[in-house]
Amino acid sequence: MSNTHDGYFTEDNSAEVVNARTTTDNARLAQVMEAIVRHMHACVKEIEPTDEEWFKAIMFLTDTGHMCTDWRQEFILLSDTLGVSMLVDAINNRKPSGASESTVLGPFHLPDAPELPMGSNICLDEKGVPMLVKGRILDTDGNPIDKVKIDVWQANDEGFYDVQQKGIQPDFNLRGVFRTGGDGTYHFKGVKPKYYPIPDDGPVGKLMGALGRHPFRPAHLHYILEVDGFETLTTHIFDPDDPYIHSDAVFGVKESLMAKFDLIEDVGKIADAGMNGPYYEVVHDFVLARA
Ligand code: BEZ
Ligand code: FE
């Protein structure tokens, strides 16, 4: 009798016995489950959990599930904070040289943000230090791209998204959709964002605390850039001077996504930019890969 197909389960052959039961015609499912079982059994053999520890792990996953609602996805947060979301993103977004890099989408995107005239101010409550963001959307040969849909969203000067402060911030505060013209340029006004904690009042936050990890993401602006003929780019730009730039809780920072946030105080420059007082100027170009 073979020690896998017909055999009894032992500590030594555990993964092989489990995998030998699979009979599906779904080759991808079989491949995925074979690897998961093999790695999980290897992990348990390395850790040698006590019964109490294993039950604690089961309860952690149970609590993670219970924390999920229509608007809160604690399992994605777990994947984010363990670096798995960024790994999946890296595998699925290998870019040709020169193209802008992607990063995590995050939970605060709204699919129905208003389309606004280029140059609009997305900061509806005028709180915080104003910011002017501008740049170009180019192809990998350096040519401007026309009709790019630019979907932007950001946290406010206290580190909160509008959806986290319903009734405090106006709906659709700090969100907007813009479209490039033939010169590929874009510009809009916002507010200098601040670092903020990922939702840390659930089991994932508790785990991070137990690991001695802080929950903060460095200040950033989110972008989704979409146009026919090119790969859609979901990304951020970051403030390189942020205190958490080297320790993003979800590992989303990449060197190429650093923008410069310049404080403009010169009265002439302020007037030329059509701003009312000192502001931060952020210039960042994006390069899209052909589909
Ligand atoms: C965000 O940047 O909005 C975000 C990303 C991952 C987890 C939590 C928040
Ligand atoms: Fe964010």
Side-chain angles (χ1 to χ4, degrees):
M1 186 159 48
S2 121
N3 68 348
T4 53
H5 228 85
D6 311 311
Y8 296 115
F9 185 104
T10 68
E11 187 176 327
D12 276 350
N13 71 7
S14 62
E16 291 79 6
V17 168
V18 173
N19 279 326
R21 293 277 175 94
T22 298
T23 61
T24 179
D25 292 335
N26 183 334
R28 181 64 171 165
L29 177 65
Q31 180 198 13
V32 167
M33 288 312 299
E34 189 281 328
I36 288 176
V37 168
R38 181 162 36 87
H39 286 284
M40 271 186 75
H41 282 237
C43 180
V44 169
K45 284 172 188 181
E46 181 180 330
I47 296 167
E48 298 194 341
T50 62
D51 288 337
E52 290 72 25
E53 285 172 334
W54 187 242
F55 188 66
K56 210 168 167 183
I58 299 286
M59 286 318 293
F60 169 76
L61 293 176
T62 305
D63 293 345
T64 299
H66 285 158
M67 198 73 200
C68 295
T69 63
D70 284 350
W71 58 90
R72 172 82 178 247
Q73 229 306 350
E74 195 74 357
F75 279 111
I76 294 182
L77 202 60
L78 182 59
S79 157
D80 292 345
T81 55
L82 296 183
V84 180
S85 301
M86 278 304 291
L87 183 56
V88 173
D89 185 75
I91 289 165
N92 287 287
N93 290 282
R94 295 180 184 125
K95 301 284 183 202
S97 131
S100 295
E101 294 186 281
S102 61
T103 190
V104 279
L105 173 67
F108 299 121
H109 177 247
L110 293 183
D112 50 353
E115 181 143 358
L116 304 169
M118 193 62 85
S120 297
N121 190 355
I122 59 172
C123 182
L124 306 179
D125 58 5
E126 308 207 342
K127 253 174 83 312
V129 183
M131 176 179 72
L132 179 62
V133 188
K134 56 186 183 179
R136 295 171 303 162
I137 319 274
L138 306 169
D139 66 20
T140 48
D141 297 321
N143 303 306
I145 312 177
D146 192 12
K147 297 188 179 66
V148 182
K149 180 183 174 203
I150 305 173
D151 189 344
V152 293
W153 67 105
Q154 64 159 110
N156 71 2
D157 64 317
E158 294 179 350
F160 293 105
Y161 288 88
D162 56 351
V163 289
Q164 296 175 291
Q165 290 193 312
K166 285 210 170 285
I168 298 174
Q169 292 188 43
D171 287 349
F172 295 113
N173 194 31
L174 295 166
R175 301 174 185 276
V177 173
F178 300 94
R179 232 167 262 270
T180 59
D183 64 359
T185 64
Y186 74 92
H187 62 287
F188 63 90
K189 292 172 191 156
V191 66
K192 186 165 191 279
K194 194 183 170 193
Y195 59 82
Y196 62 81
I198 57 161
D200 65 344
D201 56 342
V204 172
K206 238 190 253 173
L207 175 63
M208 290 184 81
L211 292 171
R213 284 177 55 181
H214 72 71
F216 293 102
R217 296 214 66 206
H220 56 270
L221 280 90
H222 290 260
Y223 286 80
I224 298 176
L225 304 179
E226 210 173 347
V227 63
D228 284 350
F230 293 85
E231 284 179 14
T232 296
L233 176 67
T234 300
T235 195
H236 306 357
I237 54 176
F238 290 94
D239 176 2
D241 297 323
D242 189 279
Y244 296 106
I245 198 69
H246 298 298
S247 61
D248 182 1
V250 303
F251 307 96
V253 177
K254 294 178 178 178
E255 191 86 48
S256 67
L257 304 180
M258 301 293 174
K260 246 176 114 352
F261 288 64
D262 285 326
L263 180 61
I264 308 292
E265 294 178 293
D266 179 88
V267 181
K269 282 188 185 165
I270 292 171
D272 287 349
M275 303 296 279
N276 297 322
Y279 69 98
Y280 280 91
E281 187 168 272
V282 181
V283 183
H284 195 82
D285 292 344
F286 294 94
V287 178
L288 301 187
R290 288 195 183 278

